[in-house]
Amino acid sequence: KSSIPKVLHRLANKALLQHVLDTARSLNVRSSVLVTGHGADQVRAAMAHESSLESVLQQPQLGTGHAVQQAMPVFRRGSQ
């Protein structure tokens, strides 16, 4: 019951989402897409320092599979 989006809660002095992005970076991924929903503005603002991160809004929020579908156009655009 928090006003802070789940991905922005802190663990070891970093947002949970930052841990994921740092791990992805260490694996040399070509690109990352942030799918936002609840608290989208807060999440985007908190990750504004991640210049290579593109964000898409999942509206309505219909689950994880739907979130991946929302990100696919960004990945397709990047592979052309």
Side-chain angles (χ1 to χ4, degrees):
K1 306 285 185 195
S2 174
S3 61
I4 299 171
K6 189 183 326 183
V7 298
L8 295 182
H9 281 268
R10 299 185 79 72
L11 175 67
N13 213 26
K14 268 198 272 194
L16 294 173
L17 178 56
Q18 191 64 59
H19 285 281
V20 173
L21 294 173
D22 291 348
T23 299
R25 188 176 298 110
S26 76
L27 298 171
N28 297 315
V29 297
R30 289 186 294 173
S31 62
S32 296
V33 178
L34 174 63
V35 180
T36 59
H38 172 72
D41 292 337
Q42 281 180 281
V43 174
R44 281 194 304 268
M47 294 297 120
H49 65 281
E50 292 284 344
S51 59
S52 63
L53 185 63
E54 187 163 346
S55 173
V56 295
L57 180 64
Q58 181 189 19
Q59 191 63 29
Q61 295 171 20
L62 300 176
T64 304
H66 182 252
V68 172
Q69 286 178 327
Q70 302 308 296
M72 289 310 296
V74 176
F75 286 121
R76 286 189 193 105
R77 187 172 63 236
S79 66
Q80 295 176 352

